[in-house]
């Protein structure tokens, strides 16, 4: 290093006795959770309680190290933001408690003023600021507010305004939200610890005074100051031990650290923060909790970045295993090896340049985070899109979009520095691509499921990794709808099934091989969507009701006696033809009733077409709409008033034949060609229907 680093041990009163600390750009947000804050309070208060009868300290409490580097006359935190911000919140709570006692004498007024000087400073030539400045220089207040976002939050906490709505705090960012939550945790705990009596609002002044002395003088931290030129190296070294930053946080530091011009770096930092906040706080239309970054899960922006990098840059499963799938090689390190960042040409990295980094942030990251946020909220408009997150990884649906939709082909004319997806040109084209890819993925997945009784998710993912590079390669500067199905079928050309002379697959699926309940449920929902689109009948597939598999022949001793126990369970009851869907409330009510006893509920309560058509009453009620299926597709929907030994084989055969015809219609033609389905009505969730998606 350029100079020797000398550690200096400081008390809390000394840590907050100097100039304010600024937060460097590669620092994460303040986001200590409840468990970490409570652990710190427990340790500090436990050490405080360990005193002798004279009230002397049994010992000091060492709170680790914080690291700063000087820049432009300010001290910037490289490490220690989480600890110091939490100490600042403790100081603010103690100030609130001493202020409450100030009427009891000058002693408490002095305590209150002393604590205030450790919370806010008045730097030379500047107004009063807090001792930790979470907002960058020049940050603007949000509309209707007086101070920059995080400073506004601290001002509100100082004036005891702790009831801000989460939506407002989310606009300010994760740091503000965490500060308000942790301030409440600290205030509750200290009020309880220093109450004169249990449940009392009156404070034990003697114990509180002793604790303030201990807090200011008995808690120690080690301060390290490093030269500015060594800051990135020190930051990475610190991250290699203790509680590590997440990969996306390191990626931020690596990318932004390459931008030399400070103004440009701050502009890029604004873009990064805006993209991350939009991604982290994306919510489904019916869920108040964030979809990606929930505090009760291991999800994080790393799921997004891994999916983005896999979709845009990896070219094989082996490449995935080496570059993203191995814990030994964090993706940020692999993609930034040899001081390089991602390049589409090499699928791995390019020579570092500020222009490439700025393009990645301004064009790629901005576009794909908008796409992510839009899809999370509008998921009702994209039935074929599966957006679950498992093991902090996105589903193939997301990665297909990243592969098949190139951000550089869409411009955002809006002067808004924080545009939404609706501000981009050709939104309708983007939505058609989303539906087209999702639709083909659905067919592709059904085909894989039908070809293997021992299908596993990992094998499923391997098939998709053959598709991602082909989608990128065959764009050739433009989206090509007509060869999309060929790209998917190429990945499974070695699977069994009937093929034409050119080797193209003809059997869309052999649903008799379905074994997993999830596969059966997804398939029956697809059938339901088809029937709904062609008849105009409503279906519960689009409601919030959770659907379950219903066996039309319940597990009833009467059926075991009639069909034979082994025959009934192995050859009849588990046939797909004998399964329908019901919502989670109706299904338990019907239980193991006889088939004839359930028909009325099927017809009048199920809200599902494939279930309802078993009943003659349903046919009478919807005769005109059901006639469209016979007229347009020659589909015979037959009701069955009774199932017994005499007609069960006929029932299974006819229902299976009907399912086969429906699946041929749904999947066999290339849905992406203009004249593929000249007679088929398009459901609002179908790829070529976009009328409801731009709201």
């Amino acid at each position: 290093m350029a100079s020797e680093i000398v550690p200096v041990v400081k008390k809390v009163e000394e840590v907050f006795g100097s100039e304010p600390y600024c937060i460097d750009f590669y620092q994460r947000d303040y986001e200590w959770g409840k468990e970490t804050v409570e652990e710190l309070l427990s340790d500090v208060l436990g050490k405080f309680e360990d005193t002798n009868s004279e009230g002397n300290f049994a010992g000091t409490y060492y709170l680790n190290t914080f690291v700063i580097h000087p820049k432009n006359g300010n001290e910037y935190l490289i490490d220690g933001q989480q600890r110091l911000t939490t100490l600042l919140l403790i100081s603010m709570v103690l100030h609130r408690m001493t202020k409450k006692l100030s009427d009891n004498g000058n002693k408490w007024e002095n305590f209150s003023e002393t604590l205030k000087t450790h919370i806010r400073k008045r730097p030379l030539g500047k107004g009063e600021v807090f001792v930790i400045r979470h907002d960058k220089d020049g940050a603007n207040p949000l509309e209707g507010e007086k101070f920059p976002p995080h400073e506004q939050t601290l001002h509100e906490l100082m004036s005891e305004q702790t009831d801000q709505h989460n939506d407002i705090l989310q606009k300010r960012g994760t740091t503000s939200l965490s500060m308000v939550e942790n301030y409440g945790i600290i205030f509750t705990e200290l009020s309880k610890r220093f109450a004169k009596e249990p449940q009392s609002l009156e404070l034990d002044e003697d114990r509180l005074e002793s604790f303030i002395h201990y807090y200011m003088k008995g808690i120690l931290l080690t301060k390290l100051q490093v030269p500015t030129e060594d800051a990135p190296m020190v930051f990475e070294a610190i991250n290699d031990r203790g509680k590590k930053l997440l990969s996306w946080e390191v990626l931020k530091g690596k990318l932004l650290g390459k931008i030399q011009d400070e103004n440009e770096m701050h502009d890029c930092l604004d873009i990064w923060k805006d993209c991350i906040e939009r991604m982290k706080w994306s919510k489904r239309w019916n869920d108040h909790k964030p979809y990606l970054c929930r505090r009760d899960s291991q999800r994080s922006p790393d799921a997004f970045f891994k999916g983005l990098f896999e979709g845009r840059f990896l070219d094989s499963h082996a490449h995935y295993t080496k570059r993203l799938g191995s814990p030994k090689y964090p993706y940020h390190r692999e993609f930034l090896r040899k001081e390089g960042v991602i390049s589409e040409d090499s699928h791995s990295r390019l020579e570092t340049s500020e222009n490439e980094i700025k393009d990645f942030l301004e064009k790629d990251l901005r576009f794909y985070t908008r796409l992510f946020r839009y899809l999370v909220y509008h998921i009702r408009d994209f039935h074929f899109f599966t957006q679950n997150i498992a093991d902090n990884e996105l589903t193939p649906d997301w990665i297909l979009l990243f592969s098949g939709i190139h951000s550089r082909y869409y411009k955002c004319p809006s002067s808004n520095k924080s545009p939404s997806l609706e501000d981009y040109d050709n939104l309708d084209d983007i939505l058609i691509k989303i539906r087209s890819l999702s639709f083909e993925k659905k067919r592709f997945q059904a085909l894989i499921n039908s070809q293997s009784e021992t299908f596993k998710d990992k094998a499923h993912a391997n098939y998709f990794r053959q598709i991602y590079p082909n989608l990128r390669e065959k764009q050739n500067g433009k989206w090509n709808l007509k060869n999309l199905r060929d790209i998917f079928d190429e990945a499974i050309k070695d699977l069994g099934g009937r093929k034409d002379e050119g080797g193209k697959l003809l059997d869309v699926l052999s649903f008799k091989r379905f074994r997993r309940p999830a596969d059966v449920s997804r398939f029956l929902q697809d059938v339901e969507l088809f029937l709904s689109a062609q008849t105009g009948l409503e279906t519960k597939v689009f409601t919030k009701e959770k659907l379950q598999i219903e066996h039309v022949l319940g597990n009833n001793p009467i059926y075991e006696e009639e069909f034979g126990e082994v025959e009934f369970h192995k050859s009849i009851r588990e046939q797909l033809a004998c399964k329908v869907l019901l919502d989670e409330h109706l299904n338990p009510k019907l239980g193991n009733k006889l088939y004839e006893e359930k028909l009325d509920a099927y017809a009048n309560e199920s809200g599902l077409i494939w279930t309802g058509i078993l009943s003659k009453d349903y046919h009478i009620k919807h005769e005109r709409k059901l006639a469209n299926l016979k007229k347009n597709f020659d589909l015979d929907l037959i009701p069955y008033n009774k199932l017994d030994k005499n007609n069960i084989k006929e029932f299974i055969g006819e229902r299976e034949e009907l399912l086969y015809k429906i699946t041929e219609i749904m999947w066999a033609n290339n849905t992406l060609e203009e004249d593929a389905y000249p007679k088929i009505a398009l459901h609002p969730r179908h790829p070529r229907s976009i009328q409801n998606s731009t709201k």
Side-chain angles (χ1 to χ4, degrees), residues 319 395 495 500 515 611:
H319 204 190
T395 57
L495 284 179
D500 64 15
R515 290 295 180 269
T611 307

Side-chain angles (χ1 to χ4, degrees), residues 58-228:
T60 55
Y61 180 76
Y62 179 60
L63 195 56
N64 216 317
T65 302
F66 68 100
V67 185
I68 62 100
H69 73 92
K71 185 170 69 173
N72 300 330
N74 295 311
E75 291 189 341
Y76 282 80
L77 282 168
I78 297 176
D79 184 54
Q81 177 202 178
Q82 309 293 320
R83 294 185 293 277
L84 293 191
T85 302
T86 305
L87 289 175
L88 171 61
L89 295 175
I90 293 175
S91 297
M92 294 173 72
V93 169
L94 291 174
H95 173 263
R96 176 178 175 178
M97 298 170 80
T98 56
K99 187 178 178 183
K100 179 181 176 182
L101 295 170
S102 59
D103 291 340
N104 294 2
N106 292 334
K107 176 178 66 175
W108 292 110
E109 286 185 18
N110 293 336
F111 272 132
S112 180
E113 286 302 314
T114 300
L115 286 164
K116 185 177 178 181
T117 63
H118 290 83
I119 296 170
R120 292 199 291 213
K121 295 289 180 186
R122 188 182 297 276
L124 185 64
K126 298 181 181 179
E128 192 175 59
V129 297
F130 287 89
V131 293
I132 301 179
R133 303 180 63 187
H134 293 88
D135 302 289
K136 70 179 181 64
D137 287 336
N140 295 317
L142 299 180
E143 185 177 354
E145 297 185 344
K146 183 177 180 180
F147 303 101
H150 303 316
E151 186 179 348
Q152 177 76 27
T153 300
L154 289 171
H155 275 286
E156 289 170 357
L157 292 177
M158 279 294 284
S159 58
E160 301 180 22
Q161 300 174 28
T162 58
D163 57 350
Q164 280 287 15
H165 195 276
N166 271 6
D167 287 347
I168 296 175
L169 295 173
Q170 286 170 12
K171 289 180 181 178
R172 297 179 190 167
T174 301
T175 294
S176 286
L177 186 64
S178 298
M179 286 195 297
V180 171
E181 290 180 352
N182 292 342
Y183 179 92
I185 293 169
I186 294 166
F187 180 77
T188 299
E189 181 61 26
L190 294 187
S191 298
K192 182 175 66 175
R193 285 295 188 109
F194 297 110
K196 207 161 193 178
E197 300 290 341
Q199 309 302 320
S200 171
L201 297 178
E202 188 177 357
L203 295 171
D204 185 331
E205 296 185 23
D206 291 337
R207 293 186 68 246
L208 179 59
E209 180 181 357
S210 296
F211 177 73
I212 292 173
H213 281 295
Y214 174 75
Y215 170 72
M216 301 298 288
K217 300 178 183 297
I219 298 177
L220 305 179
L221 298 93
T222 299
K223 178 180 179 180
L224 293 179
Q225 178 172 315
V226 302
T228 297

Side-chain angles (χ1 to χ4, degrees), residues 359-538:
D359 278 349
F360 174 74
L361 296 172
E362 293 174 0
K363 297 176 182 178
D364 297 331
L365 186 61
R366 178 176 276 171
F367 175 82
Y368 289 118
T369 51
R370 268 63 181 174
L371 181 66
F372 181 85
R373 185 181 182 92
Y374 183 94
L375 266 175
V376 168
Y377 184 79
H378 290 274
I379 191 60
R380 288 183 300 172
D381 295 333
F382 302 91
H383 170 72
F384 294 112
F385 191 88
T386 305
Q387 58 164 278
N388 293 332
I389 295 179
D391 298 327
N392 204 28
E393 292 195 5
L394 298 182
T395 57
D397 303 66
W398 288 110
I399 305 172
L400 285 169
L401 297 189
F402 297 148
S403 301
I405 301 180
H406 199 322
S407 59
R408 305 293 174 98
Y409 302 146
Y410 300 98
K411 306 298 182 185
C412 184
S414 173
S415 58
N416 183 0
K417 290 186 177 181
S418 181
S420 63
L421 190 70
E422 290 91 334
D423 293 321
Y424 281 80
D425 288 338
N426 300 321
L427 176 62
D428 287 355
D429 183 61
I430 296 172
L431 300 180
I432 288 175
K433 291 179 180 180
I434 295 171
R435 289 198 167 85
S436 301
L437 284 163
S438 303
F439 190 78
E440 284 301 307
K441 178 262 177 184
K442 189 76 173 182
R443 168 190 173 271
F444 180 80
Q445 186 175 11
L447 184 55
I448 296 176
N449 291 351
S450 70
Q451 295 296 322
S452 174
E453 297 182 10
T454 58
F455 170 80
K456 293 183 179 179
D457 290 333
K458 287 186 178 179
H460 172 219
N462 294 346
Y463 281 119
F464 279 107
R465 290 190 183 111
Q466 299 176 52
I467 297 174
Y468 306 146
N470 289 335
L471 279 174
R472 293 194 303 266
E473 178 185 342
K474 299 198 176 176
Q475 286 182 94
N476 294 324
K478 288 186 177 180
W479 175 265
N480 189 342
L481 287 174
K482 292 188 176 181
N483 68 357
L484 182 59
R485 178 157 293 186
D486 292 338
I487 293 174
F488 277 81
D489 284 351
E490 177 70 17
I492 49 175
K493 61 185 178 181
D494 296 328
L495 284 179
R498 292 188 300 118
K499 301 176 182 178
D500 64 15
E501 293 180 358
K504 295 184 70 173
L505 291 159
L506 296 177
D507 282 336
V508 178
L509 76 162
S510 301
F511 46 75
K512 291 183 181 180
R513 292 189 178 183
F514 282 155
R515 290 295 180 269
R516 301 193 309 176
D519 295 334
V520 173
S521 178
R522 279 194 290 261
F523 171 65
L524 292 180
Q525 288 184 54
D526 292 337
V527 170
E528 190 73 20
L529 290 174
F530 168 80
L531 295 175
S532 177
Q534 311 318 318
T535 62
L537 292 169
E538 292 294 323

Side-chain angles (χ1 to χ4, degrees), residues 427-670:
L427 176 62
D428 287 355
D429 183 61
I430 296 172
L431 300 180
I432 288 175
K433 291 179 180 180
I434 295 171
R435 289 198 167 85
S436 301
L437 284 163
S438 303
F439 190 78
E440 284 301 307
K441 178 262 177 184
K442 189 76 173 182
R443 168 190 173 271
F444 180 80
Q445 186 175 11
L447 184 55
I448 296 176
N449 291 351
S450 70
Q451 295 296 322
S452 174
E453 297 182 10
T454 58
F455 170 80
K456 293 183 179 179
D457 290 333
K458 287 186 178 179
H460 172 219
N462 294 346
Y463 281 119
F464 279 107
R465 290 190 183 111
Q466 299 176 52
I467 297 174
Y468 306 146
N470 289 335
L471 279 174
R472 293 194 303 266
E473 178 185 342
K474 299 198 176 176
Q475 286 182 94
N476 294 324
K478 288 186 177 180
W479 175 265
N480 189 342
L481 287 174
K482 292 188 176 181
N483 68 357
L484 182 59
R485 178 157 293 186
D486 292 338
I487 293 174
F488 277 81
D489 284 351
E490 177 70 17
I492 49 175
K493 61 185 178 181
D494 296 328
L495 284 179
R498 292 188 300 118
K499 301 176 182 178
D500 64 15
E501 293 180 358
K504 295 184 70 173
L505 291 159
L506 296 177
D507 282 336
V508 178
L509 76 162
S510 301
F511 46 75
K512 291 183 181 180
R513 292 189 178 183
F514 282 155
R515 290 295 180 269
R516 301 193 309 176
D519 295 334
V520 173
S521 178
R522 279 194 290 261
F523 171 65
L524 292 180
Q525 288 184 54
D526 292 337
V527 170
E528 190 73 20
L529 290 174
F530 168 80
L531 295 175
S532 177
Q534 311 318 318
T535 62
L537 292 169
E538 292 294 323
T539 173
K540 280 190 176 179
V541 167
F542 295 128
T543 68
K544 292 194 289 184
E545 300 279 3
K546 185 177 180 181
L547 300 179
Q548 299 177 341
I549 296 173
E550 151 78 351
H551 295 78
V552 298
L553 296 177
N555 195 7
N556 194 301
I558 294 177
Y559 290 131
E560 292 182 357
E561 183 177 348
E562 181 172 2
F563 298 112
E565 184 175 353
V566 175
E567 177 74 10
F568 172 64
H569 287 287
K570 287 191 174 181
S571 303
I572 297 176
R573 188 172 184 269
E574 293 301 324
Q575 294 293 322
L576 187 59
C578 294
K579 295 177 182 178
V580 295
L581 296 174
L582 284 178
D583 70 65
E584 60 182 339
H585 303 295
L586 182 57
N587 196 16
K589 291 180 182 178
L590 299 184
N592 293 320
K593 291 182 179 180
L594 295 176
Y595 172 76
E596 299 83 59
E597 297 172 336
K598 298 191 285 188
L599 284 175
D600 181 68
Y602 287 174
N604 301 309
E605 297 181 58
S606 71
L608 295 158
I609 305 165
W610 182 247
T611 307
I613 60 175
L614 290 169
S615 167
K616 187 175 181 179
D617 290 344
Y618 191 87
H619 284 256
I620 295 172
K621 187 176 180 180
H622 302 293
E623 180 179 5
R624 181 180 296 181
K625 291 184 176 182
L626 292 175
N628 292 332
L629 294 170
K630 175 65 176 177
K631 177 183 176 182
N632 294 333
F633 308 110
D634 195 28
L635 294 175
D636 292 315
L637 309 184
I638 304 171
Y640 299 88
N641 293 327
K642 186 177 181 179
L643 293 180
D644 55 27
K645 197 170 185 177
N646 296 322
N647 72 347
I648 189 64
K649 289 185 179 180
E650 178 185 359
F651 167 80
I652 292 174
E654 290 175 347
R655 290 276 281 189
E656 284 187 350
E657 181 64 22
L658 182 57
L659 283 173
Y660 188 79
K661 286 182 178 180
I662 289 173
T663 54
E664 275 196 317
I665 297 167
M666 284 196 304
W667 304 117
N669 294 311
N670 189 333

